[in-house]
Amino acid sequence: MKRPLVVANWKMNPTSLHEARDISLSSDEKGVVICPPFVFMEAVKMNIKNAELGAQDCYLESSGSFTGEISPLMLGNVGCRYVIVGHSERRRVFNELPGIIKDKLKAVLDAGLSPILCVGENSKKDDAERVLEEQLGDIVEYLEDNVIIAYEPVFAIGTGEACSPGLAKKRREHIKEFIRSKRSNIVPSFLYGGSVGPENAACYIEEAGFDGLLVGGASLESDKFNIILQKLGW
Ligand code: PEP
């Protein structure tokens, strides 16, 4: 059976190179994608033999006068294969709007990389289906088969309050149906993200039928992360 895809989003952690090296060594498994902070990318690349490299974000141009930004072309050239686009922290903390997210997704695809597009409602009170449709609305026409969609309800991210596998499955089916109604030829794969830990990781794959997981906090704790991988049959 194909291994699920497990994407480790380190966010703005760890703070030192030696910790980044240690964590990457202990996460180096086939089927794992490590998304470190940009400054540690090269060091992580030197340390891994089985895992692949991903980025947490990128800019939408290839090069030029965009101080502080990193382009998808650069990421491809240092060996990155995946780029997270539209993470809820980018939407919320950095005010990224759907138009920018759409342009980033297009830029990642143009560079020949696979975008991991994050979508998810903010709170349990939201009309989740409407929010998901709004987040996908303008983007859906640019989706290609190598786009991976991460369903990440914001209330579950970093809170320890994961979404139940049943509800996550329902949301994924809604997203799938929405995409199918507009682009019947596109079949994206789906990750679940939001407080994944050793106790619930397998449920999203086995019960809810996701193709993989996007793991934040637990991907920085080697013991926890390795138990997650064991629970997935690694
Ligand atoms: C994330 O960063 O996308 C995430 C899901 O974080 P956590 O696993 O910590 O909830």
Side-chain angles (χ1 to χ4, degrees):
M1 203 177 81
K2 199 175 143 214
R3 281 188 171 182
L5 188 69
V6 177
V7 180
N9 177 17
W10 289 4
K11 310 193 189 199
M12 200 171 72
N13 302 291
T15 51
S16 71
L17 183 58
H18 80 89
E19 287 172 286
R21 287 198 176 118
D22 286 351
I23 304 168
S24 58
L25 273 177
S26 65
S27 313
D28 185 22
E29 294 285 348
K30 195 163 184 285
V32 170
V33 177
I34 302 177
C35 302
F38 293 124
V39 284
F40 299 142
M41 206 151 252
E42 196 61 30
V44 170
K45 183 181 153 189
M46 304 298 280
N47 261 6
I48 53 177
K49 289 193 180 69
N50 303 302
E52 292 187 274
L53 261 188
Q56 299 175 18
D57 184 37
C58 69
Y59 193 53
L60 46 92
E61 299 283 352
S62 300
S63 63
S65 304
F66 304 102
T67 303
E69 294 297 328
I70 306 281
S71 82
L73 185 62
M74 293 169 177
L75 293 170
N77 286 341
V78 297
C80 246
R81 184 167 160 207
Y82 299 89
V83 184
I84 298 174
V85 174
H87 191 279
S88 62
E89 286 152 17
R90 301 292 320 171
R91 294 178 193 261
R92 187 171 44 84
V93 185
F94 302 99
N95 298 320
E96 279 193 10
L97 298 172
I100 290 273
I101 295 166
K102 177 187 73 184
D103 289 343
K104 288 187 174 186
L105 179 117
K106 280 164 62 185
V108 171
L109 287 169
D110 287 348
L113 309 181
S114 292
I116 300 170
L117 172 67
C118 297
V119 294
E121 69 272 31
N122 291 307
S123 84
K124 289 181 180 161
K125 290 193 191 127
D126 277 358
D127 177 350
E129 294 187 351
R130 185 184 54 76
V131 173
L132 292 168
E133 288 178 18
E134 278 171 9
Q135 290 175 344
L136 284 161
D138 284 349
I139 293 180
V140 78
E141 70 174 290
Y142 300 102
L143 296 185
E144 291 178 12
D145 276 331
N146 62 340
V147 175
I148 298 163
I149 300 202
Y151 170 62
E152 296 212 304
V154 178
F155 63 80
I157 298 181
T159 58
E161 202 194 330
C163 178
S164 72
L167 184 59
K169 180 176 178 181
K170 187 173 162 206
R171 298 284 185 250
R172 186 199 58 223
E173 290 308 305
H174 185 78
I175 298 167
K176 219 173 179 173
E177 189 46 40
F178 180 74
I179 294 171
R180 207 195 53 76
S181 70
K182 314 262 175 208
R183 301 281 311 282
S184 54
N185 54 334
I186 295 291
V187 189
S189 35
F190 286 88
L191 309 181
Y192 167 78
S195 294
V196 169
E199 67 296 343
N200 60 15
C203 304
Y204 296 103
I205 309 295
E206 288 162 13
E207 270 177 49
F210 280 83
D211 304 295
L213 301 168
L214 179 43
V215 186
S219 71
L220 292 156
E221 295 179 55
S222 298
D223 292 351
K224 265 194 190 169
F225 193 61
N226 284 314
I227 301 175
I228 291 175
L229 298 182
Q230 277 167 27
K231 298 265 176 173
L232 299 181
W234 252 244

